């Protein structure tokens, strides 16, 4: 799992540098449909200034933020194809 997270973080770093939305947000837990805490931890410093960044990484605020990020990824890559 740790190796997968490292690869996904690298993919997102490269995407960010290219002006693309991240893809790691698409990898979610089956139990609640949210990314693992590691996804939030690695992004918390860079994203904490965003008004919709969730204070709690579980629950409805986290779900809204994740859905928004997923929608951005789907929209970007749907248009790119």
């Amino acid at each position: 799992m740790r190796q997968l997270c490292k690869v996904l973080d690298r993919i997102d770093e490269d995407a960010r540098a290219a002006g693309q939305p991240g893809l790691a947000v698409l990898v979610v837990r089956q139990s609640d449909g949210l990314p693992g805490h590691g996804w939030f931890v690695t992004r918390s410093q860079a994203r904490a200034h965003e008004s919709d960044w969730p204070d709690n990484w579980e629950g409805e605020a986290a779900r809204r933020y994740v859905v928004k990020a997923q929608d951005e990824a789907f929209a970007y890559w749907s248009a790119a194809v």
Side-chain angles (χ1 to χ4, degrees):
M1 180 58 85
R2 178 166 281 155
Q3 283 304 109
L4 174 62
C5 291
K6 285 182 180 183
V7 170
L8 290 172
D9 285 343
R10 179 58 194 259
I11 290 169
D12 277 2
E13 288 174 21
D14 292 348
R16 192 171 24 263
Q20 301 166 342
L23 294 175
V25 71
L26 302 177
V27 180
V28 299
R29 298 182 296 234
Q30 183 176 4
S31 62
D32 61 6
L34 293 172
H37 283 106
W39 183 84
F40 289 99
V41 168
T42 59
R43 286 148 187 83
S44 62
Q45 189 172 18
R47 306 290 174 118
H49 69 280
E50 296 177 2
S51 62
D52 57 347
W53 180 254
D55 293 330
N56 186 346
W57 299 335
E58 294 182 5
E60 202 50 43
R63 183 171 316 287
R64 279 192 304 272
Y65 187 87
V66 166
V67 167
K68 178 184 148 199
Q70 290 171 335
D71 288 348
E72 289 170 2
F74 285 127
Y76 180 88
W77 291 108
S78 294
V81 175

